């Protein structure tokens, strides 16, 4: 794994990324998005994992969201995200992943069939939350383009958010 | 008549508002003329807008940022060292970071707006 970043890593303590105004605005949006609660944590996590995989974010792929782990996410389920269409994942998760794929690959492919499938499983609020989650998790595109997506350790780590929606990377996940 | 964007704001107002604020800050984070050029490119690549950018008429700087935008949209994992170096030839690393963060903001907002036109459109519009 290359550890060379394409721009210098931030050096200022106590700020997120480079502490610029756009960082602050992204943090406010991200915190608001992560604190939204209309979706269950497993759905949010499979959407996050799909974005991480498609954009090839090394950091994001090395994380598992604590709330999803608490809700029963395990590696057997996480591995099914890659080949979800032929997996035995719940249809509800497959529909969320189809929306994720089309947004991050080619949003013009979102069609009436997908709309009907979404509406069979999700409320409008939940659909909006999936869309906002896709934007939030796709901040990884900035990190990937500039090779700032360095995992904190070999293997998997726990991702958690505090009551204000601020992220932190915690303990290694054994196994 | 309520649009899909209105619907997104109606059902997730706080998140939609902070995303709108993020977009406002994006325009202040980098050269707005350069960002407008790249916004037009995003609209062409993702939303079927006319391809009205004459690449031959652009400066080397603008061409470098457009080339980066193209790769960022189609396959961010395939952005090359050379494509980032081409940006760093015209801007310092913090300016490049702010540009990329602004581009991400506009690009992902456009992506969900395009998807939202279908999946969050009111019934009478969708039918």
């Amino acid at each position: 794994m290359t550890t060379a970043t394409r721009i210098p890593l931030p050096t200022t303590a106590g700020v997120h990324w480079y502490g610029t105004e756009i960082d602050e605005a992204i943090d406010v949006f991200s915190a608001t998005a992560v604190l939204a609660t209309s979706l269950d944590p497993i759905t949010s996590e499979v959407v996050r994992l799909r974005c991480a995989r498609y954009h090839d974010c090394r950091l994001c792929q090395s994380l598992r969201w604590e709330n999803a782990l608490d809700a029963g996410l395990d590696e057997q389920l996480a591995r099914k995200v890659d080949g979800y269409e032929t997996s035995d994942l719940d249809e509800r998760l497959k529909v969320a992943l189809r929306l994720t794929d089309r947004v991050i690959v080619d949003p013009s492919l979102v069609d009436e069939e997908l709309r009907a499938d979404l509406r069979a499983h999700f409320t409008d609020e939940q659909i909006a939350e999936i869309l906002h989650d896709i934007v939030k998790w796709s901040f990884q595109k900035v990190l990937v383009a500039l090779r700032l997506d360095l995992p904190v350790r070999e293997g998997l780590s726990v991702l958690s958010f505090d009551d204000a929606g601020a992220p932190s990377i915690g303990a290694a996940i054994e196994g | 008549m309520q649009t899909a964007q209105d619907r997104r704001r109606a059902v997730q107002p706080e998140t939609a508002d902070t995303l709108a604020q993020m977009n406002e800050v994006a325009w202040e984070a980098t050269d707005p003329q350069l960002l407008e050029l790249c916004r037009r490119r995003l609209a062409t690549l993702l939303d079927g807008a006319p391809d009205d950018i004459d690449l031959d008429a652009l400066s080397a700087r603008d061409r470098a940022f457009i080339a980066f935008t193209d790769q960022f949209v189609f396959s961010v994992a395939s952005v090359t060292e050379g494509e980032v170096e081409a940006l760093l030839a015209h801007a310092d690393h913090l300016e490049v970071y702010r540009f990329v963060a602004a581009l991400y903001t506009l690009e992902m907002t456009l992506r969900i707006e395009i998807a939202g036109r279908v999946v969050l459109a009111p019934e009478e519009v969708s039918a």
Side-chain angles (χ1 to χ4, degrees):
Chain A
M1 179 182 73
T2 178
T3 56
T5 63
R6 290 173 171 169
I7 63 172
L9 285 165
T11 55
T12 308
V15 299
H16 199 210
W17 291 107
Y18 295 86
T20 66
E21 288 188 5
I22 186 81
D23 284 315
E24 291 174 17
I26 291 168
D27 283 351
V28 170
F29 162 72
S30 297
T32 310
V34 85
L35 292 175
T37 55
S38 73
L39 271 183
D40 62 282
I42 298 282
T43 303
S44 293
E45 180 66 349
V46 298
V47 168
R48 189 190 69 79
L49 290 170
R50 189 67 179 174
C51 292
R53 190 71 163 170
Y54 182 76
H55 296 137
D56 197 20
C57 178
R58 296 168 293 174
L59 172 61
C60 309
Q61 291 179 83
S62 76
L63 304 176
R64 297 292 181 268
W65 187 25
E66 185 176 36
N67 289 18
L69 295 171
D70 291 346
L73 179 106
D74 57 20
E75 282 313 291
Q76 191 179 2
L77 193 158
R79 277 193 293 272
K80 291 177 183 174
V81 172
D82 277 351
Y84 69 89
E85 284 292 10
T86 55
S87 76
D88 61 356
L89 280 180
D90 287 350
E91 184 63 17
R92 187 173 189 274
L93 294 179
K94 289 183 181 181
V95 171
L97 289 167
R98 281 179 209 134
L99 175 61
T100 305
D101 273 1
R102 294 193 196 177
V103 170
I104 61 180
V105 177
D106 184 352
S108 71
L109 297 177
V110 173
D111 59 15
E112 291 297 328
E113 182 181 356
L114 179 56
R115 171 191 164 94
D117 289 345
L118 281 161
R119 286 174 171 248
H121 294 280
F122 298 100
T123 65
D124 277 6
E125 183 179 5
Q126 290 170 326
I127 294 168
E129 187 168 331
I130 294 171
L131 293 173
H132 287 142
D133 278 354
I134 294 169
V135 176
K136 172 189 162 41
W137 303 129
S138 294
F139 175 71
Q140 62 203 199
K141 293 187 77 170
V142 178
L143 307 182
V144 170
L146 301 173
R147 293 295 185 267
L148 298 169
D149 60 326
L150 303 175
V152 297
R153 60 170 65 89
E154 292 281 330
L156 300 175
S157 303
V158 176
L159 170 67
S160 58
F161 295 88
D162 66 19
D163 291 344
S168 63
I169 297 173
I173 298 173
E174 302 299 330
Chain B
M1 178 188 298
Q2 190 182 53
T3 65
Q5 200 167 325
D6 295 335
R7 185 72 187 138
R8 182 167 57 80
R9 287 207 165 104
V11 295
Q12 281 242 301
E14 287 183 47
T15 319
D17 284 350
T18 57
L19 182 58
Q21 289 160 15
M22 195 168 111
N23 275 265
E24 288 178 18
V25 173
W27 288 98
E28 298 164 2
T30 191
D31 175 354
Q33 288 184 324
L34 176 64
L35 192 60
E36 170 60 15
L37 184 69
C38 295
R39 185 204 62 76
R40 286 165 52 201
R41 189 67 164 187
L42 292 174
T44 299
L45 297 174
L46 292 171
D47 202 17
D51 182 6
D52 58 359
I53 298 174
D54 180 359
L55 293 176
D56 293 336
L58 296 180
S59 66
R61 167 186 179 260
D62 288 353
R63 278 200 303 274
F65 280 84
I66 285 285
F68 179 90
T69 297
D70 287 357
Q71 195 59 50
F72 189 84
V73 167
F74 287 128
S75 177
V76 72
S78 303
V79 169
T80 65
E81 193 80 30
E83 283 161 339
V84 176
E85 286 293 329
L87 305 190
L88 290 166
H90 301 281
D92 68 30
H93 79 270
L94 207 50
E95 290 168 335
V96 168
Y97 174 79
R98 285 197 295 254
F99 167 79
V100 179
L103 183 66
Y104 144 73
T105 299
L106 268 59
E107 186 222 9
M108 290 309 302
T109 303
L110 178 59
R111 284 180 182 271
I112 67 162
E113 285 178 353
I114 295 167
R117 284 175 207 155
V118 179
V119 299
L120 287 176
E123 294 293 338
E124 63 273 19
V125 172
S126 171

